[in-house]
Amino acid sequence: METRRWVNPSQPQTLQIAVFLLYFNAAFTAIFGGLFSVFGLLIIAGCAAAGFGIANEQKWGYGVGVAMAVLPLALVVLSLLGGSGVSIISLMFDVALVALLLHPQSRDYQRIWFK
């Protein structure tokens, strides 16, 4: 019997933390006004789907997770270049999520075990 799970304790710590950060990113985006814009809804749906896909060891989940980690980071960098203010805490979480997903331990695990 195949089970679906929201978190997977058998995965490496880097992937487990990345799944939590994807869920938190989706939740905080929804709480702080993301429900009222199309872009916010895409981030919420993408982050939640990526977290669920990674927890269930799906290759598409890892791909969506990397995209959902890189996209907000790119937007933060562009806004910094444009001169607008950005929260340093937001930037730290975006960098941490990219680093966790692209860590060699995460990449090796997904290459070997993800379907």
Side-chain angles (χ1 to χ4, degrees), residues 30-53:
I31 290 170
F32 294 113
L35 294 172
F36 305 113
S37 71
V38 174
F39 185 69
L41 289 173
L42 288 174
I43 293 225
I44 293 166
C47 286
F52 187 75

Side-chain angles (χ1 to χ4, degrees), residues 12-90:
Q13 187 175 10
T14 54
L15 281 177
Q16 290 180 31
I17 296 171
V19 167
F20 285 125
L21 284 178
L22 285 165
Y23 290 147
F24 289 143
N25 194 9
F28 286 135
T29 303
I31 290 170
F32 294 113
L35 294 172
F36 305 113
S37 71
V38 174
F39 185 69
L41 289 173
L42 288 174
I43 293 225
I44 293 166
C47 286
F52 187 75
I54 291 172
N56 289 291
E57 297 182 342
Q58 299 293 318
K59 284 189 187 250
W60 63 264
Y62 183 78
V64 172
V66 171
M68 287 293 106
V70 171
L71 180 65
L73 182 62
L75 292 175
V76 166
V77 170
L78 287 176
S79 67
L80 284 175
L81 293 175
S84 67
V86 174
S87 168
I88 191 73
I89 294 176
S90 168

